[in-house]
Amino acid sequence: MTYATDRLHEEIAYVAYHFHWGLETILDLEHHDRRGYADRIASFVTRAGAEG
């Protein structure tokens, strides 16, 4: 099973935007780790929006 290219690019952009990590750093992550970071960022953003 392959991971959709569009989804991969979304995750890369999301993590890069919020954590200011470079492309190589993000691509070096295993899929589940990258997905986990994207999920954590989404949690932070959602929580900040609810508190703000």
Side-chain angles (χ1 to χ4, degrees):
M1 176 183 216
T2 60
Y3 200 57
T5 303
D6 289 343
R7 185 66 180 155
L8 175 62
H9 288 148
E10 288 175 10
E11 287 179 6
I12 291 167
Y14 199 60
V15 173
Y17 177 81
H18 287 281
F19 283 174
H20 307 284
W21 291 356
L23 179 61
E24 291 298 320
T25 300
I26 297 167
L27 288 176
D28 282 345
L29 295 170
E30 295 291 329
H31 166 74
H32 66 278
D33 292 332
R34 189 179 52 253
R35 182 74 234 142
Y37 280 115
D39 289 343
R40 287 183 190 103
I41 293 166
S43 173
F44 299 154
V45 170
T46 300
R47 188 173 358 160
E51 293 173 356

